[in-house]
Amino acid sequence: MDVGLIAIGAGLAIGLSSIAAAIAEKAIGSAAIGAMAEKEELFGKGLVLTVIPETIVIFGFVIAIMMVLAMGSH
Amino acid sequence: MRKITVLSTHSLLENIIEELHNQEVVHIIEHDKSDELDIGSPLEQGDTVSEILVKVRSLMSLLKIDKTDSGKKVDDTYVQIKKNLEKIHDDTNILLDDIRKMDDKVRENQGRMVELHKAASLDLPIEAFHDFESLCRFTGQVNDVERLAERLGKITDTFEIFTDDNDDLVAIFAEKPHEQEVREALEKESFNEVTMDLSGLTGNIKAKIRDIEKENIKLEKDIAAIKKNISDIKKKWAPYTIAVEARLAVESEKADAPLQFASSERAFMVTGWVLAKKVDKIEAALEKLTKGKIYFKAEEPAIEEDVPVKLNNPKPSRSFEALMDLFALPMYKEMDPTFLMFLTFPLFFGFMLGDWGYGITTLILFATLKRFIPAGRQFFNILMLSSVSTIFFGILFGEFFGAEVLFGHDMWRVLSRGHEMITLLIIAICIGFLHINWGLINGFINEFRNHGFKRAMLEKGSWFILQAVVGMIVLSGMHMWRLKLWVSIIFLLIPIYMIYKGEGAQGMVEIPGIFSNMLSYARLMAIGIASVKLAEVVNEFAGKFFHSGGISIVWAILLLIVGHMVNIALGTIGPFLHSLRLHYVEYFGKFFKGGAKRFRPFGVKE
């Protein structure tokens, strides 16, 4: 039972953080494309700004891995 | 970089421009028009040059000539060039006009054919479809032809009905006075009119269709012949037009140069930036050219001036200047991080991809791509270096296409990424700690150079103290030693106050940021593991197929190829972007401002 809950928790950690990052990247990405249409040199900056929210997923992923590893000791 | 000012009289203007253009060392500063000093006016040949330039460019777009370097030189005079271009232009235009006319004719014929085909099923001469003085004609579809004939018979005796084989199309001819009654009769048979415009044509319909088809085939052939002529003209004149364009582009640049100069009635002034080591050379050249009839001054740039920069890095790291171009160029006298990126970027990339099988594949791939796409040379250099680092880390992690065991032998390794994730996570965050502190040290040096020790200590040094204090508190939390609560709070307040003094409210907001920045380096581990796991999944599936034997082996091989190709694609894009981001966001954030303009000497081609 506990193991199952931990697995669900790990899934939620990565799933929800991915959704959060996706929502953030959606807004940044469309703005970056808009800016690029005006000024093509902004590609580099746009690209970097777009991947900034990806940190949230990384955190979610790390938490999920730690939970899955904790699951083993149960 | 030195700011130079050159003053001379208008009589020497053209020669000086020529010399500046040849020397390719001066980045001209555009003069802002003011009450005292106007901007210069273009050289006198400027109008002719731009007129011809417009002509040659329109000709190039007309003939679809691409700008490639043909190596040809054109020494013709402007008059000759103009004459040549006009002749090519006229010749081409005549041919294009012919094509246009023929195209129109073909289209008209196609329209005619549609109309003729409509009428073709009725076995009537074309003249039957012209307008008559005493007869009215209806063509179209009706429900029942026999009933229609009955109805018309009640109206008049003089009418005639022609139908095609399937009674699909009918043509009814009747006397004009009965037109209205006939129409009413037709409507009762739900008449659906088909209009056809055959005016101007005579003779047999089917023969006419054949004639028009023949004419169109001939026209198409003629058009192809003319197109061939045009491409002959293109082949003959392309090198000439390209050479003319290249020469005139340079001349127009020279002719327009005075627009960037300050100018009075008799004299003009050029200001610009020159690399410090080139100042003597350009001064000597100008003195010699004008026999000393020139005023030349070179000075150090003032602090607030917007100095353009030219990056100067050791050869192996020069490709990484492309990554600085993507972000921002360092300001004059600011530390250029290109070399620092050269040191750490490939390491981060390799740490994330970390598979010597993938490393060898990408190394071969990018070396090949570099040969075929010379424009991306710098990026492929970066990626090739990153591939080498991937091979290195692949050996450390003992990974080959996601497999840890090769031919029954467990490979030598320092660390298994698939199994020792927590260790990997700790290593990743330690790398983050080191990298960010390195960034802070760079920032400290920058501040110390520009604003002295106190500012450097408040703005950057405070962050070191903050980390030390937080470290102490964490250790005490882990019961490694004892620290009273009030002592830790006081210790904590010291760096916070320093940060507030140094960077203001913005610095305060960033206090938690420095720790999340370090955690952000967890991606070094996370992205690596994602790529390992994906490779493992591919291998495992393929292994199952292999065991089933027979045709499944083909599927297994396909799966291995496609699966690893996808993983390599993801494994190149991901680590590249994330390594870049760790530098741009986490690392540069600690010391780099950037925003300078690129040094573009007058005369250097883009």
Side-chain angles (χ1 to χ4, degrees):
Chain A
M1 178 62 191
D2 276 356
V3 174
L5 281 177
I6 294 175
I8 290 175
L12 284 176
I14 193 156
L16 292 178
S17 57
S18 305
I19 292 172
I23 292 170
E25 277 186 23
K26 178 196 95 177
I28 302 172
S30 52
I33 298 282
M36 253 175 68
E38 295 264 320
K39 215 173 149 196
E40 224 167 294
E41 308 90 86
L42 288 175
F43 173 74
K45 258 176 214 159
L47 188 86
V48 169
L49 288 174
T50 310
V51 295
I52 280 183
E54 224 145 273
T55 315
I56 309 169
V57 191
I58 309 274
F59 292 163
F61 183 71
V62 171
I63 298 294
I65 287 212
M66 289 170 87
M67 288 170 92
V68 170
L69 292 178
M71 203 162 74
S73 58
H74 269 264
Chain B
M1 204 63 77
R2 295 286 176 275
K3 188 177 185 180
I4 62 158
T5 309
V6 178
L7 258 165
S8 191
T9 58
H10 277 306
S11 59
L12 292 167
L13 177 63
E14 203 168 336
N15 292 341
I16 288 177
I17 290 176
E18 185 70 37
E19 188 62 29
L20 291 178
H21 198 275
N22 289 344
Q23 292 280 346
E24 300 185 351
V25 292
V26 183
H27 175 114
I28 296 175
I29 302 170
E30 207 165 308
H31 173 72
D32 286 327
K33 192 173 173 174
S34 64
D35 290 340
E36 299 90 46
L37 272 177
D38 201 352
I39 56 171
S41 41
L43 299 181
E44 66 183 301
Q45 72 268 31
D47 283 346
T48 323
V49 169
S50 38
E51 186 195 336
I52 302 178
L53 202 55
V54 169
K55 227 171 231 156
V56 71
R57 284 186 179 152
S58 90
L59 186 64
M60 283 170 86
S61 83
L62 198 65
L63 287 173
K64 299 190 181 68
I65 297 172
D66 294 325
K67 258 195 235 178
T68 45
D69 195 10
S70 63
K72 196 178 146 86
K73 286 263 178 306
V74 173
D75 297 320
D76 295 357
T77 59
Y78 292 141
V79 180
Q80 267 174 315
I81 292 177
K82 222 162 144 181
K83 223 167 100 187
N84 281 335
L85 290 178
E86 264 159 20
K87 190 177 170 330
I88 312 169
H89 220 285
D90 289 347
D91 288 353
T92 319
N93 266 340
I94 290 172
L95 294 176
L96 285 176
D97 256 1
D98 286 348
I99 289 186
R100 219 166 293 134
K101 275 182 208 148
M102 288 179 180
D103 267 339
D104 285 348
K105 183 75 193 159
V106 168
R107 223 160 298 130
E108 189 196 321
N109 279 345
Q110 280 164 348
R112 278 274 153 93
M113 298 259 273
V114 172
E115 300 291 311
L116 283 169
H117 274 295
K118 278 193 226 163
S121 56
L122 296 169
D123 198 14
L124 289 170
I126 295 175
E127 287 83 351
F129 295 94
H130 291 175
D131 290 335
F132 300 108
E133 265 173 37
S134 57
L135 288 177
C136 63
R137 167 178 48 84
F138 298 91
T139 40
Q141 288 121 8
V142 288
N143 276 354
D144 191 328
V145 182
E146 275 170 34
R147 221 164 48 211
L148 178 70
E150 264 174 46
R151 282 184 199 279
L152 292 179
K154 287 175 193 159
I155 299 167
T156 169
D157 288 337
T158 45
F159 70 92
E160 225 171 321
I161 299 181
F162 298 90
T163 65
D164 60 3
D165 298 341
N166 310 323
D167 284 0
D168 277 341
L169 192 67
V170 246
I172 299 111
F173 295 88
E175 285 170 317
K176 261 253 163 87
H178 296 296
E179 185 171 353
Q180 193 53 34
E181 294 154 82
V182 173
R183 188 183 293 279
E184 278 159 20
L186 280 166
E187 267 156 22
K188 280 180 192 146
E189 286 301 327
S190 4
F191 174 65
N192 179 19
E193 189 163 13
V194 176
T195 54
M196 40 195 92
D197 175 20
L198 299 179
S199 52
L201 297 174
T202 51
N204 181 285
I205 292 182
K206 289 196 173 116
K208 198 78 203 166
I209 289 177
R210 272 196 301 277
D211 287 350
I212 292 180
E213 269 171 357
K214 254 186 230 158
E215 193 186 351
N216 267 3
I217 289 170
K218 190 179 168 298
L219 282 171
E220 302 278 3
K221 234 185 240 166
D222 290 349
I223 289 174
I226 296 176
K227 279 190 177 156
K228 170 90 185 18
N229 278 347
I230 292 179
S231 86
D232 285 345
I233 293 182
K234 178 180 166 178
K235 212 179 276 169
K236 186 176 167 199
W237 289 103
Y240 183 81
T241 50
I242 291 168
V244 167
E245 202 271 345
R247 179 183 140 194
L248 290 180
V250 169
E251 274 169 22
S252 136
E253 196 190 358
K254 285 183 201 163
D256 287 343
L259 291 171
Q260 296 175 294
F261 301 168
S263 175
S264 70
E265 206 174 313
R266 287 168 201 281
F268 70 92
M269 180 174 80
V270 194
T271 48
W273 298 105
V274 179
L275 294 182
K277 58 182 176 191
K278 296 279 173 68
V279 172
D280 291 342
K281 194 179 151 214
I282 184 82
E283 183 174 8
L286 288 175
E287 291 279 351
K288 192 178 158 213
L289 176 83
T290 58
K291 300 194 181 73
K293 284 187 224 153
I294 189 175
Y295 168 79
F296 186 93
K297 187 176 81 172
E299 55 192 337
E300 287 266 352
I303 293 167
E304 72 279 4
E305 256 174 325
D306 193 8
V307 188
V309 296
K310 180 177 194 279
L311 299 184
N312 182 20
N313 284 291
K315 203 164 181 224
S317 63
R318 215 163 279 167
S319 293
F320 286 79
E321 287 175 4
L323 298 181
M324 295 309 300
D325 272 343
L326 274 185
F327 191 68
L329 288 174
M331 298 296 278
Y332 185 60
K333 290 219 160 152
E334 192 180 12
M335 179 187 286
D336 173 8
T338 310
F339 189 74
L340 304 174
M341 270 190 110
F342 162 71
L343 294 180
T344 47
F345 183 93
L347 288 184
F348 287 0
F349 186 102
F351 192 89
M352 283 188 260
L353 191 52
D355 183 307
W356 58 274
Y358 284 175
I360 292 172
T361 319
T362 51
L363 185 62
I364 296 170
L365 176 73
F366 294 128
T368 322
L369 283 177
K370 186 183 160 188
R371 186 162 290 184
F372 288 109
I373 314 171
R377 192 180 48 86
Q378 285 185 309
F379 278 98
F380 292 129
N381 280 342
I382 295 171
L383 284 166
M384 277 161 70
L385 205 62
S386 304
S387 302
V388 173
S389 143
T390 304
I391 298 173
F392 170 72
F393 278 101
I395 294 170
L396 288 189
F397 297 145
E399 278 176 38
F400 178 78
F401 285 99
E404 298 197 323
V405 180
L406 202 59
F407 303 119
H409 288 285
D410 198 10
M411 273 180 278
W412 176 85
R413 68 172 55 81
V414 177
L415 177 91
S416 162
R417 288 202 296 181
H419 300 103
E420 296 167 71
M421 294 184 198
I422 296 296
T423 321
L424 197 68
L425 178 65
I426 293 168
I427 295 176
I429 292 174
C430 285
I431 294 175
F433 171 76
L434 293 176
H435 202 227
I436 282 181
N437 278 297
W438 189 5
L440 283 172
I441 292 172
N442 291 336
F444 189 90
I445 297 172
N446 262 350
E447 287 298 320
F448 180 68
R449 269 197 206 151
N450 293 328
H451 304 288
F453 182 75
K454 194 181 159 207
R455 271 286 288 280
M457 205 53 214
L458 286 178
E459 273 188 28
K460 303 292 167 187
S462 49
W463 293 100
F464 297 122
I465 302 176
L466 179 73
Q467 288 176 61
V469 172
V470 170
M472 281 189 330
I473 294 171
V474 169
L475 286 183
S476 120
M478 289 160 82
H479 304 294
M480 299 247 188
W481 70 350
R482 270 167 193 287
L483 197 66
K484 292 237 163 61
L485 183 68
W486 63 270
V487 180
S488 38
I489 289 176
I490 287 176
F491 271 169
L492 204 55
L493 284 176
I494 297 170
I496 292 180
Y497 177 71
M498 285 170 76
I499 292 170
Y500 178 71
K501 284 300 272 182
E503 300 194 25
Q506 200 196 345
M508 306 292 290
V509 178
E510 277 174 24
I511 287 176
I514 188 167
F515 299 104
S516 74
N517 278 350
M518 283 177 203
L519 281 182
S520 179
Y521 283 75
R523 75 188 63 227
L524 289 178
M525 159 258 189
I527 290 170
I529 290 183
S531 128
V532 175
K533 291 292 166 195
L534 208 58
E536 273 178 15
V537 168
V538 171
N539 290 343
E540 217 164 286
F541 267 123
K544 287 209 173 115
F545 275 111
F546 264 119
H547 283 300
S548 347
I551 186 80
S552 295
I553 291 181
V554 179
W555 294 122
I557 293 170
L558 265 179
L559 189 69
L560 277 180
I561 294 174
V562 174
H564 284 298
M565 253 166 46
V566 170
N567 202 19
I568 286 176
L570 289 175
T572 319
I573 298 168
F576 187 86
L577 282 182
H578 283 283
S579 184
L580 205 57
R581 174 229 144 94
L582 284 177
H583 285 87
Y584 284 173
V585 180
E586 274 81 9
Y587 188 50
F588 284 3
K590 300 288 166 285
F591 66 99
F592 183 70
K593 293 196 182 68
K597 270 188 299 194
R598 178 167 281 283
F599 178 67
R600 283 185 206 284
F602 178 57
V604 171
K605 270 191 200 158
E606 294 285 309

Tab-separated table of all heavy atoms in Angstrom, chain A residues 43-45 47-48 51-52 54-55 58-59 61-62 65-66 69, chain B residues 326-327 421-422 425 516 519-520 522-523 526 577-578 581 584-585:
chain	number	residue	atom	x	y	z
A	43	PHE	N	17.317	35.193	-31.499
A	43	PHE	CA	17.148	33.738	-31.400
A	43	PHE	C	17.821	33.171	-30.153
A	43	PHE	O	17.216	32.422	-29.393
A	43	PHE	CB	17.720	33.063	-32.651
A	43	PHE	CG	17.744	31.572	-32.561
A	43	PHE	CD1	16.573	30.848	-32.682
A	43	PHE	CD2	18.930	30.891	-32.328
A	43	PHE	CE1	16.595	29.473	-32.581
A	43	PHE	CE2	18.952	29.520	-32.229
A	43	PHE	CZ	17.785	28.806	-32.353
A	44	GLY	N	19.061	33.553	-29.928
A	44	GLY	CA	19.820	33.008	-28.800
A	44	GLY	C	19.160	33.329	-27.475
A	44	GLY	O	18.932	32.448	-26.647
A	45	LYS	N	18.806	34.610	-27.329
A	45	LYS	CA	18.182	35.009	-26.073
A	45	LYS	C	16.839	34.326	-25.903
A	45	LYS	O	16.497	33.863	-24.819
A	45	LYS	CB	18.017	36.530	-26.050
A	45	LYS	CG	19.079	37.149	-25.187
A	45	LYS	CD	19.024	38.648	-25.202
A	45	LYS	CE	20.456	39.138	-25.099
A	45	LYS	NZ	20.622	40.480	-25.570
A	47	LEU	N	15.837	31.500	-27.088
A	47	LEU	CA	16.024	30.078	-26.792
A	47	LEU	C	16.333	29.880	-25.312
A	47	LEU	O	15.732	29.038	-24.635
A	47	LEU	CB	17.194	29.573	-27.632
A	47	LEU	CG	17.428	28.085	-27.607
A	47	LEU	CD1	16.565	27.448	-28.655
A	47	LEU	CD2	18.876	27.790	-27.887
A	48	VAL	N	17.238	30.696	-24.812
A	48	VAL	CA	17.633	30.551	-23.414
A	48	VAL	C	16.463	30.889	-22.491
A	48	VAL	O	16.177	30.169	-21.533
A	48	VAL	CB	18.844	31.452	-23.119
A	48	VAL	CG1	19.096	31.510	-21.634
A	48	VAL	CG2	20.048	30.914	-23.835
A	51	VAL	N	13.951	28.018	-22.208
A	51	VAL	CA	14.247	26.816	-21.410
A	51	VAL	C	14.369	27.120	-19.914
A	51	VAL	O	14.548	26.204	-19.126
A	51	VAL	CB	15.513	26.077	-21.892
A	51	VAL	CG1	15.317	25.526	-23.268
A	51	VAL	CG2	16.736	26.948	-21.823
A	52	ILE	N	14.254	28.375	-19.541
A	52	ILE	CA	14.400	28.701	-18.110
A	52	ILE	C	13.428	27.933	-17.209
A	52	ILE	O	13.849	27.341	-16.211
A	52	ILE	CB	14.312	30.233	-17.898
A	52	ILE	CG1	15.662	30.836	-18.241
A	52	ILE	CG2	13.951	30.571	-16.452
A	52	ILE	CD1	15.765	32.297	-18.012
A	54	GLU	N	12.347	25.138	-17.392
A	54	GLU	CA	12.613	23.710	-17.377
A	54	GLU	C	13.206	23.267	-16.035
A	54	GLU	O	13.144	22.098	-15.671
A	54	GLU	CB	13.554	23.347	-18.516
A	54	GLU	CG	13.130	22.114	-19.261
A	54	GLU	CD	13.452	22.217	-20.725
A	54	GLU	OE1	12.625	22.754	-21.478
A	54	GLU	OE2	14.531	21.774	-21.104
A	55	THR	N	13.773	24.220	-15.312
A	55	THR	CA	14.318	23.919	-13.980
A	55	THR	C	13.266	23.254	-13.100
A	55	THR	O	13.579	22.356	-12.311
A	55	THR	CB	14.784	25.221	-13.316
A	55	THR	OG1	15.505	25.963	-14.272
A	55	THR	CG2	15.668	24.950	-12.128
A	58	ILE	N	13.210	19.687	-13.655
A	58	ILE	CA	14.408	19.046	-13.107
A	58	ILE	C	14.185	18.794	-11.612
A	58	ILE	O	14.466	17.699	-11.109
A	58	ILE	CB	15.646	19.938	-13.309
A	58	ILE	CG1	15.771	20.377	-14.742
A	58	ILE	CG2	16.892	19.254	-12.779
A	58	ILE	CD1	16.483	19.451	-15.657
A	59	PHE	N	13.668	19.803	-10.915
A	59	PHE	CA	13.401	19.618	-9.486
A	59	PHE	C	12.403	18.476	-9.283
A	59	PHE	O	12.598	17.602	-8.439
A	59	PHE	CB	12.854	20.908	-8.861
A	59	PHE	CG	13.861	22.029	-8.805
A	59	PHE	CD1	13.455	23.343	-8.598
A	59	PHE	CD2	15.212	21.774	-8.951
A	59	PHE	CE1	14.382	24.366	-8.551
A	59	PHE	CE2	16.151	22.798	-8.903
A	59	PHE	CZ	15.724	24.102	-8.709
A	61	PHE	N	11.816	16.009	-11.200
A	61	PHE	CA	12.461	14.748	-11.566
A	61	PHE	C	13.358	14.246	-10.432
A	61	PHE	O	13.326	13.066	-10.065
A	61	PHE	CB	13.292	14.981	-12.836
A	61	PHE	CG	13.953	13.755	-13.383
A	61	PHE	CD1	13.204	12.760	-13.994
A	61	PHE	CD2	15.319	13.594	-13.308
A	61	PHE	CE1	13.807	11.634	-14.510
A	61	PHE	CE2	15.933	12.470	-13.821
A	61	PHE	CZ	15.170	11.486	-14.424
A	62	VAL	N	14.115	15.166	-9.853
A	62	VAL	CA	15.009	14.785	-8.752
A	62	VAL	C	14.191	14.247	-7.579
A	62	VAL	O	14.496	13.194	-7.007
A	62	VAL	CB	15.864	15.998	-8.321
A	62	VAL	CG1	16.616	15.684	-7.043
A	62	VAL	CG2	16.834	16.354	-9.427
A	65	ILE	N	12.873	10.809	-8.363
A	65	ILE	CA	13.914	9.773	-8.255
A	65	ILE	C	14.193	9.448	-6.796
A	65	ILE	O	14.303	8.278	-6.400
A	65	ILE	CB	15.200	10.245	-8.964
A	65	ILE	CG1	14.955	10.183	-10.462
A	65	ILE	CG2	16.396	9.397	-8.553
A	65	ILE	CD1	16.146	9.873	-11.281
A	66	MET	N	14.257	10.484	-5.967
A	66	MET	CA	14.519	10.235	-4.552
A	66	MET	C	13.388	9.405	-3.939
A	66	MET	O	13.612	8.517	-3.119
A	66	MET	CB	14.690	11.559	-3.803
A	66	MET	CG	15.995	12.250	-4.175
A	66	MET	SD	16.109	13.918	-3.560
A	66	MET	CE	16.786	13.609	-1.956
A	69	LEU	N	13.672	5.798	-5.095
A	69	LEU	CA	14.738	5.109	-4.378
A	69	LEU	C	14.295	4.797	-2.948
A	69	LEU	O	14.599	3.730	-2.404
A	69	LEU	CB	16.011	5.957	-4.371
A	69	LEU	CG	16.685	6.121	-5.741
A	69	LEU	CD1	17.900	7.009	-5.616
A	69	LEU	CD2	17.087	4.767	-6.310
B	326	LEU	N	25.433	34.770	-29.636
B	326	LEU	CA	24.038	34.441	-29.361
B	326	LEU	C	23.538	35.197	-28.136
B	326	LEU	O	22.366	35.518	-28.043
B	326	LEU	CB	23.904	32.941	-29.081
B	326	LEU	CG	23.723	32.006	-30.250
B	326	LEU	CD1	23.481	30.609	-29.743
B	326	LEU	CD2	22.546	32.436	-31.103
B	327	PHE	N	24.431	35.425	-27.193
B	327	PHE	CA	24.004	36.044	-25.937
B	327	PHE	C	24.239	37.554	-25.988
B	327	PHE	O	23.316	38.307	-26.274
B	327	PHE	CB	24.770	35.389	-24.778
B	327	PHE	CG	24.245	35.752	-23.429
B	327	PHE	CD1	23.012	35.312	-23.017
B	327	PHE	CD2	25.004	36.535	-22.570
B	327	PHE	CE1	22.524	35.655	-21.764
B	327	PHE	CE2	24.519	36.877	-21.319
B	327	PHE	CZ	23.287	36.438	-20.916
B	421	MET	N	22.373	6.905	-8.441
B	421	MET	CA	21.807	8.210	-8.798
B	421	MET	C	22.058	9.266	-7.743
B	421	MET	O	22.323	10.421	-8.062
B	421	MET	CB	20.310	8.061	-9.014
B	421	MET	CG	19.987	7.207	-10.211
B	421	MET	SD	18.234	7.176	-10.454
B	421	MET	CE	18.077	5.751	-11.496
B	422	ILE	N	21.937	8.874	-6.472
B	422	ILE	CA	22.099	9.878	-5.418
B	422	ILE	C	23.524	10.423	-5.423
B	422	ILE	O	23.736	11.634	-5.315
B	422	ILE	CB	21.743	9.273	-4.040
B	422	ILE	CG1	20.257	8.893	-4.020
B	422	ILE	CG2	22.062	10.242	-2.918
B	422	ILE	CD1	19.317	10.065	-4.152
B	425	LEU	N	23.741	12.813	-8.161
B	425	LEU	CA	23.052	14.062	-7.819
B	425	LEU	C	23.963	14.942	-6.975
B	425	LEU	O	24.082	16.152	-7.215
B	425	LEU	CB	21.759	13.732	-7.062
B	425	LEU	CG	20.945	14.930	-6.581
B	425	LEU	CD1	20.430	15.725	-7.760
B	425	LEU	CD2	19.783	14.481	-5.713
B	516	SER	N	18.898	28.063	-5.311
B	516	SER	CA	18.165	27.344	-6.364
B	516	SER	C	19.017	27.269	-7.628
B	516	SER	O	18.909	26.332	-8.405
B	516	SER	CB	16.806	27.991	-6.629
B	516	SER	OG	16.961	29.177	-7.336
B	519	LEU	N	20.998	24.185	-7.110
B	519	LEU	CA	20.143	23.010	-7.325
B	519	LEU	C	19.874	22.812	-8.813
B	519	LEU	O	19.658	21.699	-9.275
B	519	LEU	CB	18.814	23.187	-6.595
B	519	LEU	CG	18.836	22.923	-5.099
B	519	LEU	CD1	17.437	23.083	-4.529
B	519	LEU	CD2	19.341	21.520	-4.822
B	520	SER	N	19.882	23.925	-9.548
B	520	SER	CA	19.605	23.849	-10.979
B	520	SER	C	20.623	22.960	-11.696
B	520	SER	O	20.332	22.404	-12.749
B	520	SER	CB	19.633	25.262	-11.536
B	520	SER	OG	19.402	25.251	-12.898
B	522	ALA	N	21.362	20.214	-10.822
B	522	ALA	CA	20.866	18.836	-10.755
B	522	ALA	C	20.526	18.319	-12.142
B	522	ALA	O	20.468	17.116	-12.377
B	522	ALA	CB	19.639	18.768	-9.851
B	523	ARG	N	20.309	19.256	-13.082
B	523	ARG	CA	19.992	18.825	-14.446
B	523	ARG	C	21.147	18.038	-15.061
B	523	ARG	O	20.940	17.237	-15.955
B	523	ARG	CB	19.615	20.015	-15.313
B	523	ARG	CG	20.781	20.873	-15.741
B	523	ARG	CD	20.335	22.140	-16.428
B	523	ARG	NE	19.572	22.990	-15.529
B	523	ARG	CZ	18.431	23.561	-15.866
B	523	ARG	NH1	17.920	23.382	-17.041
B	523	ARG	NH2	17.791	24.332	-15.014
B	526	ALA	N	20.026	14.766	-14.003
B	526	ALA	CA	18.693	14.377	-14.456
B	526	ALA	C	18.670	14.090	-15.956
B	526	ALA	O	18.145	13.067	-16.398
B	526	ALA	CB	17.700	15.476	-14.113
B	577	LEU	N	21.488	22.603	-25.101
B	577	LEU	CA	20.700	23.720	-24.575
B	577	LEU	C	20.922	23.910	-23.084
B	577	LEU	O	21.042	25.027	-22.603
B	577	LEU	CB	19.219	23.473	-24.838
B	577	LEU	CG	18.753	23.738	-26.253
B	577	LEU	CD1	17.265	23.513	-26.354
B	577	LEU	CD2	19.081	25.168	-26.641
B	578	HIS	N	20.966	22.795	-22.352
B	578	HIS	CA	21.047	22.932	-20.903
B	578	HIS	C	22.430	23.369	-20.460
B	578	HIS	O	22.561	24.144	-19.517
B	578	HIS	CB	20.620	21.637	-20.230
B	578	HIS	CG	19.131	21.489	-20.255
B	578	HIS	ND1	18.321	22.184	-19.409
B	578	HIS	CD2	18.315	20.786	-21.062
B	578	HIS	CE1	17.058	21.900	-19.680
B	578	HIS	NE2	17.031	21.051	-20.693
B	581	ARG	N	22.412	26.968	-21.118
B	581	ARG	CA	21.610	27.679	-20.150
B	581	ARG	C	22.326	27.807	-18.814
B	581	ARG	O	22.294	28.859	-18.184
B	581	ARG	CB	20.282	26.930	-19.979
B	581	ARG	CG	19.421	27.480	-18.898
B	581	ARG	CD	18.941	26.362	-18.017
B	581	ARG	NE	18.881	26.833	-16.654
B	581	ARG	CZ	17.786	27.328	-16.109
B	581	ARG	NH1	16.684	27.387	-16.795
B	581	ARG	NH2	17.814	27.759	-14.878
B	584	TYR	N	24.661	30.673	-19.456
B	584	TYR	CA	24.019	31.970	-19.652
B	584	TYR	C	23.324	32.461	-18.386
B	584	TYR	O	23.423	33.618	-18.019
B	584	TYR	CB	22.973	31.880	-20.768
B	584	TYR	CG	23.515	31.848	-22.171
B	584	TYR	CD1	22.668	31.614	-23.249
B	584	TYR	CD2	24.855	32.066	-22.431
B	584	TYR	CE1	23.142	31.580	-24.544
B	584	TYR	CE2	25.342	32.028	-23.720
B	584	TYR	CZ	24.488	31.786	-24.775
B	584	TYR	OH	24.955	31.754	-26.060
B	585	VAL	N	22.551	31.580	-17.766
B	585	VAL	CA	21.703	32.027	-16.655
B	585	VAL	C	22.451	31.962	-15.328
B	585	VAL	O	22.634	32.973	-14.663
B	585	VAL	CB	20.403	31.193	-16.582
B	585	VAL	CG1	19.533	31.670	-15.439
B	585	VAL	CG2	19.663	31.267	-17.896
